[in-house]
Amino acid sequence: MEKLTSVEQFNKLVENETVVFMFSADWCPDCRVIEPILPRIEADFPSFSFYYVDRDEFIDLCQEHMVMGIPSFLAFSNGKEVDRFVSKDRKTEEEIIEFLTRAEANSY
């Protein structure tokens, strides 16, 4: 998973790619729990590019997109948000896969 480096990069990715952003932070224990499963999940969904968004570095972006809890996921395709999995709760592997399956179906 690549790390987002700027708001400009975020906007360019939204407009030009089918992309999933994972909003997270180094200090987030729920985020660390899912970290080991993410590479396998990413491999199972090659239609998406995946980007890590550090919540502390991009707090304005979080507010703009109503991301109030982490970890949270936003999926975009063709310049539009196609699905979101945003909550303050710990995410399970099954929930993440369900979200990505739904987002993938919505991106076509």
Side-chain angles (χ1 to χ4, degrees), residues 42-62:
E42 286 179 61
D44 289 343
F45 290 89
S47 61
F48 290 112
S49 300
F50 289 85
Y51 284 84
Y52 172 92
V53 181
D54 187 303
R55 174 229 177 259
D56 295 334
E57 289 180 39
F58 295 99
I59 194 71
D60 291 341
L61 198 57
C62 290

